[in-house]
Each structure stands twice: as C-alpha cells, then as structure tokens.
Amino acid sequence: MPLLWLSVGFAAGIVLASQWTLPWPLWAALAAFALVLGFLELYLPLLSRWHKHFLRVAPLPAGFLLAVLLLGAARFQASRPVITQGALAFYNGQGEVRFTAVVVEPPRKLESITRLRLRAEQMVQVEGTAISRPVEGLALATLPADSSWQYGDRLELTGKLTDPFEGESFSYRDYLARQGVYSVITFPRIRRLEQGAGNFLLSGIYAFRGQAYRVLNQLFPQPEAALLSGILLGMEDDLPPALARAFRDTGTTHIIAISGFNIAILAALFSSLAGRVIRSRWLALLAAVLGITFYTVLVGAGASVVRAAIMGSISLLGRQIGRRNAGLHALSLTAACMCVFNPNLLWDVGFQLSFSATLGLVWFGAPLESMARDWLKARFSPGAARRLTGPLSEYFLFTLAAQVTTLPVLLYHFQRLSLSSFFANPLVLPPQPFVMTVGGASVLAGMVLFPLGKALSFLVWPLLAYTIKVTEALAKIHSGALVVGQATALWAAVYFLAMFLLSRNLSRLWQKRTLIKPYAGFGIFFLGSLLVWRGFFSAPDGRLHLTAFSGKDGPALQVQTAEGRGLFIQYGAPTRVLNTFLARRLPVFHQRPDGLILPDDAASALMGLPDFLDRFPPDWILWNTQTTSSRSASRLRKWAQTQETPLLPLQPGQSILLGRSATLEVLVMQEKETLLGLASEGFRAILASGSTPEHVAGLPPAWSSPGIALVLSEDSFKEFPPQDWLALRPAMVIAPTGAPGLPPTWLALDQRAWVEVVAGEGSLWILTGK
C-alpha cells in the first residue's frame, strides 16, 4: 500500500508542476522541508496525535507523502529545457545553420519521406558566420524517401532549424517535446562524416532488426508481411492505410502495436525455454528478463512496450519467489519509475492507453474470471468449466476489462467509439499467440536457412490472412465505429472513480445477482432508450439544414437535406472543435456523409483533412483543380486511391442532386472564384468563395434576386466592406466577421460558434450558438 500512495503522489506532483511553475531548486527545498515535517510527526507529541488520525486514511506520515509530491514537481521542472547558446533549439528560426549530429535511431522510412532522429554535437555555422560551439539537443530531420542514412552515422547538415508545427487540432510541438525533441529541419543538405558512431550493442540489435524485416518480407506476401512486421517488430508503416483504418475502427490496433499482449506471450515463451535449457531457476529468470529486454530494445522501446516489459519482468519475479503479484502496486510503481526518467509520459496517449488497459486487467481480470468459472460450473462439469474458463477469460473477458478502462482515454483523445471491437477481439485474438511464436520462428529460421523459414511461413500465412479478412469485414459494418462529442477530463475522472468503486464491489454484486437482475434489466432498458431517443431526434425532420461553423481559414458548411442526405463543404483547415461539433450534428447511426466539396485551394484544407476524413469518410469528393498545387493534388489523389473514394473535379454548370428536394449547382468556377448555389423548395443560398459583389449580382435572375442567403468565405469578405454585400439586398449574410452598425441579418461567425439555417414548409428558422 505505501508504494501505491508514493507512486500516486509523485505523479500528482508532476501534474501540479505543469500547472504551477516554480524553479526546481525551490520545489526540492520544499520537499526537504516536508520530509523534516514527516519525521517530526513521528516524535513531537503535538504532531504525533495528528499522525495517528492521519494513519487511519494513509499508510505514511503526511509529511512523507507531501515530500514525494514535491519531488515529483521538482523532477518535472528539472526536465524543462533551458534554451541557451549551448542548446540546439536556440538556433531555431535564425536562418541557415550548419551543424554536426549523430543518427540515434534507425531511419523511419515512409512512402514519400524519410525521418531521422539526430543528436546534435557541434554548431559549425550560423547565417554564413563560422563558429565552433558544442551544442546539445535532439532534432527531427525530414528527408527524401530514397535517403540511405543509417543508425550511427555522423552527419553534417545545412538548412533551417524551426520549431515543430503547432496546429489547432494537434500540437506536433508538444508531441515531440514529450520525446525531448525541440527542433525540426526539412530537406537539409547532408554530408556524411563518419559511420558507426553509435552504440556498438544497439548497432547490432538494429542490424538484426533490419535483417529480420528483409527476410520477413521475402517469406510473406503483402499485406500479410506488413501485419506480421507490426506484430513482431513494431514496424507498422507498411500497412496499407485502408487496413490500418480497419484495425482502428474495430479496436484491434493492440495486435499491431507492441503492448502487454505481445510481451505476455514472449514472457511465457522465454520463461519456458529458459527453464528447459538452464537448470538454475535464478539464471533462467535472468535469461528470460534479458530476452524481454532485448525484444524491448528491438522494437523501439516505446512507452507501452517499456511498461509491459517491466510488468512482465515483475510478474516473472513474483512467480519465481512464490508470491502473488500485487498488480495495482506493481503497475503504479512501474508508471512512477518511468516518469522519473521522463515526466512527460503522463501526457503521452500511448502511455495512457497502456496504463489504463493494464488497470482494467488489475481491477476486473480476476473477478470476471472467477464469475465466469462459477457460471460455467453451474452448467458443466468442473473439469469442463476449468478448461473453458481460460480461453473465455483470455480472449473475451480480459479484453472486455481493458476496453472498459480505456474507453474514457479513447473518447477524450479521439472522440471515437468502436462497437465492432466487442466482436472483433474474440475472433482475431485466439490465433495471435501461434502467429507470434511460429511467425517469429519462421523469420529466425529464414535468416539461417531460408527454405526452412519458408516452410514454417505456410503455417502462419493462413492465420494472418484470416486476421486481415475478419478485421476488414467487421470494419465495413455500418456504424461499427461512432464518432462522439468531446469528452472532458472531469468526465474521465468521474468515470474512473465509478469503475474503481465497481471493481471493489463486483464480487459482492455477483453474489447478490438474483436481487440485482431486475435493476440491471432496468438499467439496460434505460440506456437503450437513451440511444434510441438520440437516434430519433437526430433523424431527418423533413427540412433542409445549412450549418456554418467558423473554420481556420473560412467557414465549414454542413448540408443535411430533408431526406437526411449529408454533405460537407470545406473552405479551411478543420479543427478539433469543428470535428467535435460535426460529430454532434450527425445522426447517431449514419455518420458517413454522402460527399465532401473543396471549393478553394485544397492545400489549406488538407492541413487538417487527414484527421477529418478519418472521422467522417465521405462517399465521394469534389474538388477545385484550378486552385490546388500539384503537391496538394498528389496528396489528395493518394488518399482517395488508398481509401477507394471517388475523386472528381468541380466543373462549371455541374448540378448535384441531394435527394428529391435539394440541388447544389456550380454557378461560377474560375482560378480564384467559386460560386455554389444551394436550392431546396423555394430556399436559395449562394456560397461565395473569392467572389465580388458584382459577380453575384451578375448571376441569372433566379440566383441574383433579393432574398438569397449569402455565405461568404474569408477571401470573399476581406476585400469588400459589408455595405457592398448588403447592397444586393440578401435575406441574410453569414460572414467570417462583423462590424459595428450592421443589421441583425448579418450573422458573424466570429461572434457565434455556429449558425444554422433551417428551411422547410415555406418557413425559415435561424439558430445560433455560442
């Protein structure tokens, strides 16, 4: 119990320091003072009386717990970078620089680029001025895809250092900062100075990994090779985007992301092999732990892998000394030790998912297994119940326990709920231990004797193909993955508290299940009713809905017709807030829009589109080819090809039927001007992008008469005052910003979170939200 309190206190101190900045020596001094108070609690009569009362709640003196909390704060503050001339980040934004650095990780080769992680050593030149100054710090370099650099290369790079990208929906700067990277350099000029400057042991491990990867791709065809590469080596970049998305939608990414599941299999395998070869139990334990350590380094030593490796090693040690592993204490101690080395891990999504999944196993694993055993004993013989309990627990109940506790983390970060995961995991998990062990054996054998490895691969390939086919089939289930609204940190905390209380009382509730059944049935009926009613209220209401939301570079529009057909018209880069907003506006069971239209330069919209399209994949995309750069066009075509989404050019005169009652027409389309017209049962709206009031006035009478609603993009609004647009006598104007003295029919998006126009039955409603 003291370990749990100390670990939680240390983590709380890290969070405290992230919100309240003080110099780390001051935090350390306060910790020393608190430690003295802790000793005084034990010996001073006045404080001893308080100490006895406090021990009823906590197992340690309050001063000791406060000291640990303050030490956590000191550790976090000490980890903050100090940007001086000796730091590489000092030269961010100072023009062209030349510096030497060593490649500290194997290159990450993506389809169109290669990324190198570098440790800086010497600054050679800044803006043409020669200097010779030792520097420290990590940098991330983006290079062409055909680059041939390797781990341990000492390089001289010439280019511009910059701060990592800071977006609205995702902070790449914070993401890299958690890994100690504060500088990025894109397509620099590079000269190799030396090879083999890295760690000799790591060089050998990475060379082994590279050879295993090459042999694996010779043994297996694609995409089975990409899947096994992710399972064995943690190299998942080869997975086709559509398949990677299928794993995400079905909640089975833990198969291809090295985590506790993989480490548990390897721990059992290493322990069994070492026990058969080595007679000494302690030497066998050491060999098994070294095997786990080797594999951890081999796959990149990510946060989830390190956590799983430590937990697996502790589990082996507990089994060796004959003690039952206190899971919660071991988990909290592991997390605290990892945060000692990297306090930023608390904000790492992978670490949070790994920790919460293991927490679910600790809280609910044993109780659920016991409940399943009791239920099976009442229906089968004791032997059959014992044989059935193991597979049922490993492949369904334990997965369910992990899903229950990872749910708030997933909703908080990704706003995505996978319903198909409850079916996918029991179907794809059972073959994975065989895939991992025999697949690994086939790769090792292939590295020594290729025909032997090829023979073993025939045993593994059918199971890999089965995993892919099942995952792809379940990913196609309509509404198998729902996009939900933003979950707050408070909601997540309340949820975890409720799960903790449930875990403490689960066995007691199971014993009284006959009394609880009516209440459980009522709860299920209540939740089902809420879901049905939400679906009912989000169903089509027979009216046209045009909703405008303020995007980064202009409004984003959602059109929902009387029949429920959905369409997005995207002018600027989608934001995280916009994604959350649209998730709430979409029907519960129909979250795939019919289409997406990009009337402006897709380069801007593409900045946020990958995440946007992943959440709301359209059936087709129409885009303005005249205003899009070749590089942006290439990215969009590549995404559409991998997702098998039709990509069509916008053309003047096009008419898009949106059900029986609504039509979207392309009225004008030039290099810097796009006019779209939306018509539905007497309601007409013009969506103006890069247009002038004269162009709108020059449209055919059906589109230039008074009463038309105008929706202006940033380009249409910024060069023409509101009076020019009001001269057209529109029924309303939805614009990015407003100005004093404008009529109430001018709806400014900078003063409202969204504007919704509802048209139907000869009436018009305008709804706004802050």
Side-chain angles (χ1 to χ4, degrees), residues 642-765:
T642 56
Q643 299 295 328
E644 300 179 353
T645 301
L647 181 63
L648 307 170
L650 273 174
Q651 297 177 358
Q654 272 181 334
S655 183
I656 305 164
L657 297 178
L658 304 174
R660 297 186 302 272
S661 59
T663 304
L664 185 71
E665 297 184 24
V666 183
L667 303 176
V668 177
M669 198 190 75
Q670 299 176 2
E671 183 177 356
K672 295 183 180 181
E673 176 186 0
T674 303
L675 284 178
L676 303 178
L678 177 65
S680 176
E681 299 180 350
F683 170 77
R684 293 178 182 270
I686 292 179
L687 317 177
S689 172
S691 306
T692 68
E694 289 79 8
H695 286 157
V696 177
L699 291 173
W703 291 103
S704 60
S705 59
I708 297 292
L710 290 175
V711 182
L712 306 179
S713 71
E714 186 75 29
D715 291 336
S716 296
F717 171 75
K718 63 184 180 182
E719 295 185 7
F720 298 93
Q723 290 73 18
D724 290 354
W725 294 106
L726 291 174
L728 300 174
R729 293 183 294 164
M732 73 182 74
V733 179
I734 301 176
T737 60
L742 293 175
T745 54
W746 186 283
L747 305 174
L749 288 174
D750 64 338
Q751 301 171 8
R752 300 166 177 83
W754 51 269
V755 174
E756 181 178 6
V757 180
V758 184
E761 303 171 358
S763 301
L764 197 66
W765 296 267

Side-chain angles (χ1 to χ4, degrees), residues 165-213:
F165 172 73
E166 183 81 23
E168 289 189 55
S169 59
F170 174 72
S171 176
Y172 196 47
R173 179 184 300 176
D174 292 344
Y175 171 77
L176 291 179
R178 288 193 288 269
Q179 304 170 40
V181 179
Y182 298 94
S183 303
V184 296
I185 185 169
T186 305
F187 300 110
R189 301 187 299 277
I190 301 181
R191 182 167 64 96
R192 181 185 281 122
L193 303 177
E194 181 185 354
Q195 289 182 309
N199 181 276
F200 175 77
L201 182 60
L202 288 180
S203 297
I205 293 176
Y206 291 145
F208 176 83
R209 183 192 193 192
Q211 180 62 17
Y213 173 76

Side-chain angles (χ1 to χ4, degrees), residues 612-634:
F612 181 81
L613 295 175
D614 183 62
R615 297 175 187 277
F616 311 104
D619 291 334
W620 47 262
I621 297 177
L622 281 172
W623 64 308
N624 188 342
T625 59
Q626 299 184 22
T627 63
T628 301
S629 65
S630 59
R631 186 173 180 181
S632 299
S634 176

Side-chain angles (χ1 to χ4, degrees), residues 23 37 39 54 77 151 165 181 193 198 290 293 295 310 351 370 393 397 497 524 540 561 587 628 652 657 659 744:
L37 288 180
F39 282 109
F54 187 77
Q77 203 60 48
Y151 167 79
F165 172 73
V181 179
L193 303 177
L290 289 177
T293 304
Y295 181 75
I310 296 175
F351 176 81
S370 177
S393 300
L397 296 180
L497 178 61
I524 294 174
T561 66
T628 301
L657 297 178

